[in-house]
Amino acid sequence: MSMDGSVTSTEEILPPTIQKLMKGYNKYLRPFFGNGPVAVGMSLDIASIDTISEINMDYTATIFLRQRWTDERLCFDGNKSLSLDGRLVELLWVPDTFIVDSKKSFLHDITVENRLIRIFPNGTVLYALRITTTVACNMDLTKYPMDRQTCTLQLESWGYNVKDVVFYWTRGNQSVSGLDHLQLAQYTLEDHYTSESEAVYETGNYPKLIFHFKLKRSILYFILETYVPSSALVVLSWVSFWISQSSVPARICIGVTTVLTMTTLMMGARTSLPNANCFIKAIDVYLGICFSFIFGALIEYAVAHFCTLHQPNSANAYMYGQEMQEREDEMNGVATSIGNHTLRARKREEMLSRMGSASNPIPSESKEEINSSQPQTHCTKCMSTARQIVRCLNCCKVENPHYIDNYSRRTFPLSFIMINLLYWTYYLYF
């Protein structure tokens, strides 16, 4: 159809060389029909990878897809190729290639449809397209943001099975170009390679080409955005250990403020991730650790303040400790005296048993003393058990509540450092 809307025959539009090629050409029949499959070579040029979304688990890329095949019906004399207008593709047979995991795709059409057709004298056809596509990529976010993802771009034939069409990469792993100059926002490209396969469906086996590329997330952004602020909040919560226990408003203010700030930070870290998923991510583990330490610092003051109210004050703490020590020494003395008396009774019993005979019975006084030693032995065991129980109770009691802050000044930082070492070692090297 011409520009004014009149219908014009194909012979009047095409030059003589193309008219000769198109004479008797049937675009509905593939090349080598009935004589084996047609081989279609593929190559890609990655123009850009615009976005990689963890929420939707997909990526958007703009690619140049080039396909080559030989059509024996398009051979002509000469040594130069023919470059045709992309709109003439409607007159030729082309492979029915599609992107397997594509969610949405479109062909660029500014200022005209970005398609290229080039025919070589031996009948080879080069067909190039410029496509922007959004492709699904299954991601494992358990180590986020120290994760590595492997995404793919899969090309298949829609209607022609392996008996009709065969796909292959024209230059192996070198068939995909443009990645060396690619700049990504949060990722660095670690590796890429190509592979060939077959897609098995109920209707048959279809040719498939797969392009794999591995991405490593850049963690510096998350260190500055999440890890450093959360660690700083933990350190800030430790300031309360150096504030007097009598300054209730100051310590409560620090504890509550750090807890609320940490909660806000945790909520902000989840905004860029799927709301409903089964992943316990590395960043969630770290934020949970920081929240536990901050909340633990607040609980520590509650325990210390409670002990201050229910234990002797700090002025009488030393006298209280001396009194508890005297009670324990007194109990130890009672148990020791009972033990010595029992030991003497045992020695006397052994002496009488050696000297005793059928003619010399044991005196009644000795028998009574021997029998009385058995209750004393039982009493010794009871006193020893009671002494152990008292020691355990004394360990649970806080003689001076100010010691709780002194212990916390050491145990909280050391524990946080040890947990950090284990955390970073596990997620970076395992």
Side-chain angles (χ1 to χ4, degrees):
M1 182 177 292
S2 62
M3 296 297 294
D4 57 359
S6 61
V7 178
T8 308
S9 62
T10 305
E11 288 78 5
E12 295 178 358
I13 298 177
L14 301 177
T17 304
I18 304 301
Q19 291 182 16
K20 183 178 179 181
L21 292 176
M22 293 294 101
K23 187 177 182 180
Y25 185 89
N26 189 350
K27 68 176 183 179
Y28 300 109
L29 296 179
R30 64 173 179 83
F32 305 104
F33 183 78
N35 294 321
V38 55
V40 179
M42 301 276 187
S43 64
L44 293 174
D45 190 354
I46 308 296
S48 65
I49 297 180
D50 304 322
T51 58
I52 301 175
S53 174
E54 292 83 10
I55 297 178
N56 300 320
M57 289 198 177
D58 57 27
Y59 66 91
T60 301
T62 299
I63 62 174
F64 296 95
L65 174 62
R66 301 183 180 92
Q67 305 177 80
R68 293 174 181 267
W69 69 92
T70 300
D71 193 338
E72 78 284 0
R73 298 169 294 179
L74 298 178
C75 296
F76 63 92
D77 298 331
N79 55 7
K80 294 183 178 180
S81 61
L82 297 176
S83 296
L84 307 179
D85 189 285
R87 288 167 288 190
L88 293 179
V89 71
E90 304 295 339
L91 302 176
L92 303 176
W93 177 92
V94 293
D96 56 349
T97 308
F98 75 102
I99 301 174
V100 178
D101 296 325
S102 176
K103 295 182 177 180
K104 58 180 179 180
S105 302
F106 65 89
L107 177 67
H108 290 260
D109 56 1
I110 303 298
T111 57
V112 295
E113 289 187 348
N114 297 172
R115 297 194 290 189
L116 178 146
I117 288 288
R118 186 171 295 166
I119 303 176
F120 296 87
N122 62 349
T124 300
V125 181
L126 171 62
Y127 180 40
L129 300 167
R130 182 181 175 218
I131 304 171
T132 294
T133 179
T134 301
V135 185
C137 177
N138 293 326
M139 300 181 182
D140 183 6
L141 299 176
T142 53
K143 290 190 175 183
Y144 176 92
M146 292 165 280
D147 56 326
R148 290 176 169 85
Q149 306 297 339
T150 300
C151 297
T152 61
L153 180 66
Q154 304 181 40
L155 303 173
E156 286 185 18
S157 174
W158 176 257
Y160 295 103
N161 58 30
V162 293
K163 297 180 180 180
D164 298 320
V165 173
V166 175
F167 285 174
Y168 68 94
W169 293 106
T170 55
R171 298 186 303 275
N173 290 336
Q174 303 300 320
S175 301
V176 181
S177 59
L179 295 173
D180 297 335
H181 307 288
L182 208 59
Q183 297 292 331
L184 301 178
Q186 292 187 12
Y187 291 90
T188 55
L189 186 66
E190 281 192 324
D191 190 19
H192 65 90
Y193 59 95
T194 59
S195 63
E196 301 177 5
S197 180
E198 291 185 5
V200 180
Y201 299 102
E202 185 179 354
T203 55
N205 296 354
Y206 297 85
K208 176 192 288 189
L209 296 181
I210 308 175
F211 168 58
H212 310 258
F213 58 98
K214 297 182 178 180
L215 301 171
K216 179 183 178 181
R217 195 183 304 273
S218 301
I219 194 176
L220 180 60
Y221 168 79
F222 297 94
I223 290 178
L224 298 177
E225 186 74 13
T226 304
Y227 284 93
V228 171
S230 58
S231 301
L233 286 174
V234 174
V235 176
L236 180 61
S237 67
W238 298 341
V239 175
S240 62
F241 300 152
W242 279 267
I243 299 177
S244 174
Q245 292 185 5
S246 60
S247 302
V248 177
R251 297 193 65 164
I252 290 296
C253 180
I254 291 178
V256 174
T257 302
T258 52
V259 167
L260 294 179
T261 307
M262 191 66 207
T263 303
T264 305
L265 189 63
M266 294 173 67
M267 294 176 62
R270 291 178 173 271
T271 55
S272 60
L273 294 173
N275 294 326
N277 57 39
C278 59
F279 296 112
I280 299 177
K281 298 170 284 295
I283 195 170
D284 294 334
V285 174
Y286 192 83
L287 292 176
I289 292 172
C290 293
F291 184 83
S292 300
F293 272 89
I294 293 173
F295 191 75
L298 182 61
I299 296 299
E300 183 270 347
Y301 175 64
V303 173
H305 188 66
F306 177 83
C307 294
T308 303
L309 297 178
H310 292 79
Q311 290 288 348
N313 54 33
S314 56
N316 298 328
Y318 178 77
M319 297 300 296
Y320 177 78
Q322 291 294 328
E323 181 181 352
M324 295 302 298
Q325 184 66 33
E326 290 176 359
R327 290 182 182 179
E328 184 175 357
D329 293 342
E330 182 180 354
M331 186 174 293
N332 291 339
V334 173
T336 303
S337 61
I338 296 175
N340 293 335
H341 182 73
T342 304
L343 182 60
R344 288 195 302 270
R346 286 183 178 178
K347 288 183 178 180
R348 183 175 298 177
E349 180 182 356
E350 291 177 358
M351 185 180 298
L352 293 175
S353 61
R354 292 174 183 174
M355 297 175 61
S357 60
S359 60
N360 296 320
I362 299 175
S364 59
E365 294 182 358
S366 299
K367 289 182 179 182
E368 292 178 357
E369 187 174 358
I370 292 173
N371 294 333
S372 64
S373 66
Q374 295 178 356
Q376 292 174 355
T377 304
H378 180 70
C379 183
T380 304
K381 293 181 179 179
C382 294
M383 293 299 297
S384 177
T385 304
R387 183 174 58 184
Q388 294 177 359
I389 294 174
V390 170
R391 286 181 178 178
C392 294
L393 294 176
N394 289 337
C395 291
C396 297
K397 291 182 179 180
V398 180
E399 297 181 3
N400 191 346
H402 295 281
Y403 291 164
I404 298 178
D405 284 343
N406 294 334
Y407 295 149
S408 299
R409 292 170 190 174
R410 299 175 179 85
T411 56
F412 272 73
L414 290 177
S415 301
F416 189 68
I417 292 173
M418 291 299 298
I419 291 177
N420 267 272
L421 291 176
L422 295 175
Y423 173 88
W424 291 104
T425 302
Y426 174 78
Y427 282 105
L428 289 178
Y429 299 105
F430 293 97

